[in-house]
Amino acid sequence: MISLNIEKTFGFISKASVAAYETQVKAAQEALEDGTGKGSDFLGWLHLPSSISKEHLADLKATAQILRDNCEVVIIAGIGGSYLGARAVIEALSNSFTWLQEKKSAPAIIYAGHNISEDYLYELTEYLKDKKFGVINISKSGTTTETALAFRLLKKQCEVQRGKEMAKKVIVAITDAKKGAARVTADKEGYKSFIIPDNVGGRFSVLTPVGLLPIAVAGYDIEKLVAGAADMEKACGINVPFAENPAAQYAATRNELYKRNKKIEILVNFCPKLHYVSEWWKQLYGESEGKDHKGIFPAAVDFSTDLHSMGQWIQEGERSIFETVISVDKVNHKLEVPSDEANLDGLNFLAGKRVDEVNKMAELGTQLAHVDGGVPNIRIVIPSLDEYNIGQLMYFFEIACGISGYLLGVNPFNQPGVEAYKKNMFALLNKPGYEAESKAIQAKL
Ligand code: PA5
């Protein structure tokens, strides 16, 4: 099981102050369980891991197999919660250099629909010109501009390159059951489609088809992922005592740190494969808690890389931060530092040691230095990077986020602030229906 250690926050906050959250946390857990808290229409993720059926997983795996059999490349078109979960899991589990390998055992996974860069989309369509590709179009609303724009290009290219019949086979939609343009297109074209449940918001949707289908296409075991999440669902259940419940402890600790003016939480890894877990986590916590002019700012760094860039700020900058380190206990491969006769780099003192031992000492040394420098440290240990443990990690962060948002007093399940830029963009682009906004915004320029 993954484990949580909050000992290195106790120089900054007291054990008693964390323990004092017990009643509040219980109330937050009850609000989640009973659906009596803010945003209770969006609690479908809460018991999702333990309720996913074998039939559903089999359907996802069968669809994934069709894409695997017929595609060299599969594009995941989605943004925010409609792509970050899949990318987080796939990148955490993938060989760092798979994308460069000529002979692949699974289709290459590429992401689109998460930006509006003309160069990105041009280069993507160029790259796909001689490829047998398929598309998973993911959008809950079915109207998100970034995703719809990319899908429009990809659909056309797929139909021209692969023919309408094959396109029908290798384009899959994951969207709302009834509404939105993605649903209309899927039904009209006869695409295989999966439903994003109404009561699961984007950033909590990794264990719905939004995450599970792309992960299965990439060749990873979605049953193990779900099993890990289900075990974490038990470990973080409402009946688990506060002191033994990792989600409760994490939520309480970060809220207490926030109260003590630690306004920024930096999620740290020492393994570059976790970069997109951090991106996913940033969205989960940022979009859930950043409202009503409140909320910890979620930031992330990849160490030791960023120790050579952001390390200075973290060590000696404004003392408004705390770190949450995800530490991978066992790496998947073995590599020893070789000995060198000339020893010009002076590294022979490391000869024979595992590279991971060096990394672990960098991790420990960093923790001690940052704590000494005034940065409280939370540590999450994940036994290894595999489907089961990643499933645990993701559910842990989800449930902790729900509890934490309620402790903060916000609705963790809406995102009203995301609309502001869209409204301006549509007004600037003269979208029909935005005439008044267009006029108002032009007057501001
Ligand atoms: O978490 C969220 O709700 C958002 O990040 C959405 O997932 C994102 O905006 C994409 O929305 P949609 O799936 O409707 O295209």
Side-chain angles (χ1 to χ4, degrees):
M1 290 297 282
I2 72 162
S3 62
L4 177 83
N5 188 329
I6 56 169
E7 291 292 316
K8 297 276 187 226
T9 64
F10 291 147
F12 307 89
I13 53 174
S14 67
K15 237 182 204 175
S17 67
V18 174
Y21 276 80
E22 182 164 357
T23 314
Q24 264 176 278
V25 165
K26 189 79 178 173
Q29 289 173 305
E30 278 166 4
L32 287 171
E33 285 297 330
D34 307 342
T36 50
K38 292 179 184 169
S40 59
D41 288 351
F42 289 95
L43 293 173
W45 55 272
L46 189 62
H47 294 298
L48 189 59
S50 57
S51 59
I52 296 174
S53 70
K54 281 209 159 33
E55 294 70 36
H56 182 53
L57 291 175
D59 190 11
L60 286 161
K61 287 201 292 187
T63 307
Q65 196 56 50
I66 293 173
L67 289 168
R68 287 169 65 82
D69 290 344
N70 291 284
C71 303
E72 298 165 287
V73 178
V74 172
I75 322 297
I76 313 299
I79 192 167
S82 285
Y83 102 106
L84 280 170
R87 189 164 194 176
V89 176
I90 292 168
E91 302 224 349
L93 298 175
S94 295
N95 181 302
S96 310
F97 303 99
T98 302
W99 57 285
L100 285 174
Q101 280 160 5
E102 296 261 307
K103 258 185 120 200
K104 295 188 176 67
S105 55
I109 303 291
I110 291 184
Y111 303 88
H114 59 298
N115 62 48
I116 324 175
S117 162
E118 186 160 344
D119 283 348
Y120 186 92
L121 288 168
Y122 175 86
E123 286 161 14
L124 175 63
T125 50
E126 280 295 299
Y127 170 76
L128 292 174
K129 264 187 178 152
D130 57 350
K131 307 284 186 304
K132 289 185 194 152
F133 76 91
V135 187
I136 306 178
N137 184 32
I138 311 176
S139 179
K140 187 173 182 197
S141 63
T143 55
T144 300
T145 311
E146 288 88 341
T147 306
L149 201 156
F151 182 65
R152 179 182 275 227
L153 289 163
L154 292 167
K155 173 180 185 289
K156 204 170 235 170
Q157 185 171 357
C158 189
E159 285 170 352
V160 170
Q161 251 172 253
R162 309 209 61 188
K164 267 224 154 206
E165 272 319 296
M166 182 52 93
K168 236 187 221 179
K169 211 167 168 177
V170 294
I171 297 179
V172 178
I174 305 178
T175 186
D176 187 83
K178 295 194 192 85
K179 42 179 212 300
R183 166 56 55 204
V184 175
T185 310
D187 290 347
K188 180 175 162 271
E189 301 288 356
Y191 300 149
K192 168 79 180 169
S193 68
F194 290 92
I195 292 166
I196 308 175
D198 271 347
N199 60 358
V200 181
R203 58 191 176 275
F204 288 86
S205 69
V206 61
L207 297 172
T208 73
V210 170
L212 296 178
L213 183 64
I215 293 164
V217 172
Y220 299 110
D221 189 332
I222 53 176
E223 270 156 7
K224 286 192 181 140
L225 187 85
V226 171
D231 283 351
M232 188 50 72
E233 184 186 324
K234 275 192 216 126
C236 297
I238 188 162
N239 294 322
V240 177
F242 175 71
E244 290 158 32
N245 185 323
Q249 291 284 309
Y250 177 56
T253 305
R254 63 196 295 286
N255 272 276
E256 181 59 13
L257 287 164
Y258 179 63
K259 244 199 233 119
R260 304 281 158 221
N261 270 328
K262 303 296 181 191
K263 306 280 188 193
I264 300 166
E265 178 174 7
I266 306 177
L267 194 71
V268 176
N269 68 68
F270 282 78
C271 168
K273 286 176 201 256
L274 290 175
H275 178 83
Y276 272 91
V277 168
S278 296
E279 293 302 307
W280 170 83
W281 171 89
K282 278 186 343 198
Q283 185 201 355
L284 182 64
Y285 280 80
E287 214 166 53
S288 299
E289 295 193 321
K291 48 198 72 158
D292 306 339
H293 294 174
K294 295 197 275 192
I296 294 170
F297 182 83
V301 288
D302 301 322
F303 284 168
S304 66
T305 311
D306 293 336
L307 282 170
H308 297 258
S309 55
M310 293 303 290
Q312 171 61 36
W313 200 104
I314 295 170
Q315 188 70 46
E316 294 183 348
E318 190 181 282
R319 302 298 72 188
S320 51
I321 56 174
F322 65 98
E323 288 181 311
T324 297
V325 178
I326 303 179
S327 178
V328 181
D329 190 29
K330 283 208 170 48
V331 293
N332 289 327
H333 303 287
K334 191 172 173 187
L335 186 65
E336 285 175 0
V337 179
S339 144
D340 185 272
E341 213 173 296
N343 194 27
L344 294 176
D345 54 13
L347 284 186
N348 270 356
F349 73 103
L350 296 177
K353 284 195 195 302
R354 300 273 300 270
V355 172
D356 191 54
E357 193 181 334
V358 182
N359 201 28
K360 289 283 190 307
M361 290 309 112
E363 187 181 320
L364 183 57
T366 304
Q367 185 199 51
L368 296 171
H370 288 182
V371 171
D372 284 347
V375 182
N377 186 285
I378 297 173
R379 192 158 176 263
I380 295 166
V381 178
I382 173 165
S384 61
L385 289 186
D386 55 35
E387 290 92 331
Y388 178 76
N389 287 305
I390 296 282
Q392 280 194 20
L393 185 71
M394 295 190 108
Y395 185 82
F396 159 76
F397 277 134
E398 287 183 357
I399 179 77
C401 183
I403 298 171
S404 184
Y406 279 168
L407 292 181
L408 185 67
V410 298
N411 175 354
F413 307 116
N414 65 2
Q415 53 284 328
V418 181
E419 295 311 310
Y421 97 91
K422 292 185 194 165
K423 209 178 99 197
N424 283 350
M425 177 175 77
F426 293 146
L428 290 164
L429 289 167
N430 297 315
K431 183 173 175 174
Y434 282 76
E435 290 75 13
E437 287 87 347
S438 294
K439 234 173 139 187
I441 208 162
Q442 287 304 334
K444 276 198 207 167
L445 297 178

